[in-house]
Amino acid sequence: MDDFADNLSFLCSHYPSIAEVCRRLGINRQQFNKYLSGQSRPSRANMRRICDFFGVTEGEIVSEASQLRSLASVRTQPFASPALDGPMAHLERLMRASGSLRRYDGYYFRYFYSFGKPGRITKSLARIYHVDGRCYWKNLELIREGGRGPANAISKYEGAVFFLTNRIYIVEYEAMQSNSITQMTLYPSYHSRIGRLTGIQTGGPTRRGRKPGASIAMLEHLGQQVDVKRALYGCGLFAPDAPEIPEGVPEMIRNRIPEGGHVLEVEEP
């Protein structure tokens, strides 16, 4: 027998509780306890979900316990300052080239058709803000059907925002596991009131077997100050005709490649 149960327990130890892991995975706690005790093994679909969540391969999660711990140690070991000089130089260059994004500060609802739930629209709460002259991004996704009740999973994203040659670029990563990156390109607003920003995002969603995908996305500006708790209450997965989705948004973010076309594009509003 391999060390799957021991490795799963080790990976879970990085979280506050087993209950939180089960909630974020969407796996029944009783069934998950059987995995931890070695009484049963996950189905193929659940195994892929678990591996995607923890950012490991199936081969790694069934390897010798000492091997997985060594691998985790290497992955979480901080880089020495000289090792960061190269990557940080590229980031600094982009930040210096970036135009002002001060007027875009504030909170946004983010809308896009879900990668993992066909036909459903993901509505999340995001924020653009500045610290020491640099522009940053935070995004919180609550995975729950209909936007009501407790969330099945919560995904937190953080990143940076750039304004380059009249386009807004947002690069975010999954902040809890650091296992995915999404890049979004948006048209700027030419109005005194920002309103809505549209563009395209690309990435490898963790809930769909990391299959790379692209979709049209839209940010709806809410203002500098919002009731965050109330805003989050309206986030989740929705049918296009749900009252939480503003009129016109489903059509605006619908993904279509026109006849004779070859790539997904979005026209400037």
Side-chain angles (χ1 to χ4, degrees), residues 163-176:
F163 191 33
L164 306 170
T165 319
N166 209 31
R167 294 290 181 268
I168 299 171
Y169 295 90
I170 299 174
V171 181
E172 66 175 8
Y173 71 98
E174 202 284 318
M176 301 183 79

Side-chain angles (χ1 to χ4, degrees), residues 207-242:
R207 294 185 173 276
R208 205 174 56 110
R210 299 188 183 280
K211 187 184 299 183
S215 68
I216 296 175
M218 193 203 76
L219 300 184
E220 179 185 19
H221 190 240
L222 304 177
Q224 297 280 350
Q225 301 293 330
V226 300
D227 183 334
V228 173
K229 185 176 181 180
R230 182 177 179 182
L232 285 173
Y233 184 77
C235 294
L237 280 168
F238 300 95
D241 59 353

Side-chain angles (χ1 to χ4, degrees), residues 4 8 11 15 21-28 32 35 42-56 58 61 116-117 152-153 177 179 205-210:
F4 171 74
L8 183 61
L11 293 170
Y15 289 82
V21 173
C22 293
R23 184 166 56 250
R24 295 185 61 192
L25 278 169
I27 296 177
N28 178 273
F32 196 79
Y35 302 158
S43 65
R44 185 173 182 180
N46 278 352
M47 178 67 86
R48 187 175 68 178
R49 185 184 303 178
I50 290 169
C51 289
D52 285 348
F53 176 76
F54 288 114
V56 297
E58 187 169 344
I61 204 171
K117 295 285 187 178
N152 298 325
Q177 284 292 307
N179 60 3
T206 58
R207 294 185 173 276
R208 205 174 56 110
R210 299 188 183 280

Side-chain angles (χ1 to χ4, degrees), residues 4-171:
F4 171 74
D6 288 341
N7 288 338
L8 183 61
S9 179
F10 168 72
L11 293 170
C12 289
S13 70
H14 293 80
Y15 289 82
S17 67
I18 300 298
E20 179 175 339
V21 173
C22 293
R23 184 166 56 250
R24 295 185 61 192
L25 278 169
I27 296 177
N28 178 273
R29 173 66 182 272
Q30 185 177 2
Q31 183 63 42
F32 196 79
N33 284 340
K34 292 182 180 180
Y35 302 158
L36 289 171
S37 65
Q39 295 179 47
S40 67
R41 293 290 290 268
S43 65
R44 185 173 182 180
N46 278 352
M47 178 67 86
R48 187 175 68 178
R49 185 184 303 178
I50 290 169
C51 289
D52 285 348
F53 176 76
F54 288 114
V56 297
T57 66
E58 187 169 344
E60 290 168 347
I61 204 171
V62 300
S63 63
E64 292 184 8
S66 59
Q67 182 178 336
L68 182 69
R69 282 159 174 74
S70 298
L71 184 64
S73 175
V74 171
R75 287 181 175 174
T76 58
Q77 185 175 359
F79 286 104
S81 181
L84 290 174
D85 289 345
M88 293 305 294
H90 296 296
L91 185 59
E92 285 291 337
R93 183 178 181 182
L94 286 174
M95 287 185 166
R96 287 196 300 267
S98 177
S100 175
L101 285 158
R102 286 286 182 182
R103 69 184 297 258
Y104 295 96
D105 276 3
Y107 290 86
Y108 296 81
F109 280 136
R110 177 184 186 177
Y111 303 92
F112 62 93
Y113 276 95
S114 169
F115 290 96
K117 295 285 187 178
R120 298 284 180 174
I121 292 176
T122 297
K123 179 181 180 181
S124 63
L125 182 65
R127 183 188 177 198
I128 293 176
Y129 63 101
H130 280 74
V131 176
D132 297 331
R134 309 287 176 80
C135 192
Y136 298 98
W137 163 270
K138 286 187 177 182
N139 179 47
L140 190 62
E141 287 184 9
L142 278 65
I143 308 301
R144 56 186 175 191
E145 284 288 345
R148 299 179 180 84
N152 298 325
I154 299 175
S155 295
K156 297 179 181 179
Y157 298 87
E158 297 188 18
V161 190
F162 310 94
F163 191 33
L164 306 170
T165 319
N166 209 31
R167 294 290 181 268
I168 299 171
Y169 295 90
I170 299 174
V171 181

Side-chain angles (χ1 to χ4, degrees), residues 240-265:
D241 59 353
E244 291 84 356
I245 305 299
E247 185 178 354
V249 169
E251 187 63 24
M252 186 179 298
I253 63 173
R254 194 173 302 279
N255 301 306
R256 292 193 186 95
I257 296 180
E259 185 177 353
H262 299 281
V263 297
L264 179 64
E265 297 176 316

